[in-house]
Amino acid sequence: MEGFEGESSRLSAVYLEGRTLPRKVRALINFAAEDIHSADIL
Amino acid sequence: MDIVDELKAFVATAQTGFFTAVADQLGVSNRLTSKYMAELETHLGVRLFQRITRRVGLTPEGEDLLARAPALLDDLDELLNDVAESSHGFSGVIRISAPVTFGEIYVGAMLGRFAGLNPDLTLDLRLNDRYVDLATEGIDLAFRVGESDMLSLKARKIGTFRSLVVASPAYVEQNGVPETPDDLLKHSCIVNTNRHSPRRWVFRRDGHESSVNVEGRLQVNSARAAAGLAADGLGIANAPRFAVREVSPRARSSP
């Protein structure tokens, strides 16, 4: 299937709206966003 | 007692209707609780409570205060915790939800690396392929694949997965290589029922999208299991790259 690209899916970190996100959770999201690009799985 | 403690005492009293509950929660006597409420009313210059025998009810001003004070106290607690954490490092618990395959392949290892940097932090990872309600299950953060249509959630994109079509060399030798999406209709396709539309496989070429509704006798609710069945020569699977990578020595992928 040369030339065809497979479906792409968005990976998100989700959390509840309407409350302040604790710093430790924000830090984990930032860490995951950087780490996943070095993990070679996307 | 300062204004923060007075507000805490007010919220506890207003939510329960009894000064005795405040005494239990805050460790002060009933007499002192009454005194603190009187001081808060004096401080604000309005009556907050209507005293009905031993139970207390709220005035309209008290109702207004109760509507906003709990969130304000929660924000203040978070602010104080954040400031404390910035000087001492993170502590406490983060509860995380993730899909099973993605969680097993990536999230667990990633959390291990994050835990190594934060030795006082406890990480509670819960793997589940069903829909998880963050509010009722006490989850702080969930990793989700695909679009989220929940209005009560905020989402931050952290990456994009590409799906690959995979089969074993033995399967390809016996059944041929599909050259176009329509060619998949002649093949045994392995369906991952965790996908939003399990049998509708979507492809793009030169900016144009096309899809095909595949057929197959094997279906499974795991991308990794689907890729594994393909690697074992049982058909063609369509799975995210992270799941295919696990079985890649046994499978051949395209595109």
Side-chain angles (χ1 to χ4, degrees):
Chain A
M1 294 177 60
E2 200 67 39
F4 287 93
E5 284 185 350
E7 192 172 6
S8 62
S9 303
R10 173 189 172 110
L11 172 68
S12 302
V14 302
Y15 49 94
L16 285 172
E17 190 173 43
R19 54 170 291 197
T20 308
L21 192 64
R23 278 186 67 243
K24 59 191 172 192
V25 178
R26 203 160 57 235
L28 175 56
I29 295 172
N30 291 338
F31 181 85
E34 284 194 15
D35 183 86
I36 198 164
H37 291 285
S38 60
D40 189 32
I41 63 165
L42 294 177
Chain B
M1 188 175 253
D2 64 21
I3 187 70
V4 173
D5 289 332
E6 288 174 3
L7 277 176
K8 286 181 178 174
F10 164 77
V11 169
T13 304
Q15 288 177 336
T16 61
F18 293 100
F19 287 133
T20 50
V22 183
D24 292 341
Q25 283 184 26
L26 303 183
V28 295
S29 68
N30 294 347
R31 190 174 62 80
L32 274 177
T33 304
S34 297
K35 183 184 170 200
Y36 296 148
M37 291 303 94
E39 285 177 356
L40 181 61
E41 288 179 326
T42 302
H43 185 86
L44 298 175
V46 294
R47 286 190 65 80
L48 299 171
F49 292 105
Q50 297 166 330
R51 288 159 183 83
I52 310 160
T53 62
R54 292 178 59 207
R55 194 176 174 85
V56 291
L58 291 174
T59 63
E61 291 80 8
E63 295 280 2
D64 287 345
L65 188 60
L66 182 62
R68 298 169 65 182
L72 185 67
L73 290 170
D74 285 347
D75 284 348
L76 182 62
D77 279 344
E78 284 189 359
L79 171 63
L80 296 176
N81 286 336
D82 282 356
V83 172
E85 283 174 344
S86 67
S87 60
H88 302 114
F90 297 126
S91 60
V93 182
I94 304 179
R95 293 180 182 83
I96 305 120
S97 168
V100 175
T101 298
F102 179 62
E104 288 179 343
I105 291 175
Y106 172 69
V107 179
M110 181 274 290
L111 291 181
R113 292 188 282 278
F114 188 69
L117 300 171
N118 298 279
D120 294 326
L121 198 56
T122 299
L123 301 168
D124 179 357
L125 174 61
R126 301 168 187 196
L127 302 181
N128 211 314
D129 284 329
R130 66 169 169 76
Y131 174 78
V132 173
D133 185 325
L134 275 62
T136 59
E137 299 192 32
I139 300 295
D140 299 299
L141 171 66
F143 291 97
R144 299 245 166 104
V145 178
E147 299 296 327
S148 174
D149 54 2
M150 294 297 295
L151 295 177
S152 60
L153 299 178
K154 279 186 177 174
R156 175 173 164 191
K157 180 182 175 182
I158 63 171
T160 302
F161 289 123
R162 181 73 63 191
S163 287
L164 302 173
V165 172
V166 292
S168 71
Y171 178 90
V172 168
E173 189 173 329
Q174 188 174 350
N175 299 281
V177 178
E179 300 294 340
T180 69
D182 283 343
D183 288 348
L184 291 169
L185 295 172
K186 302 175 221 159
H187 286 266
S188 300
C189 292
I190 299 160
V191 174
N192 171 14
T193 53
N194 269 351
R195 292 166 55 93
H196 184 63
S197 301
R199 292 185 178 274
R200 181 174 178 265
W201 292 8
V202 178
F203 301 91
R204 290 184 74 83
R205 186 184 197 186
D206 299 331
H208 298 289
E209 186 174 292
S210 61
S211 64
V212 60
N213 289 307
V214 301
E215 297 291 336
R217 292 186 302 118
L218 288 175
Q219 56 184 39
V220 60
N221 63 341
S222 159
R224 178 158 58 178
L229 290 170
D232 290 338
L234 297 172
I236 297 176
N238 184 16
R241 183 163 170 262
F242 67 81
V244 173
R245 199 183 64 155
E246 288 277 296
V247 300
S248 56
R250 296 183 285 144
R252 178 174 159 183
S253 64
S254 173

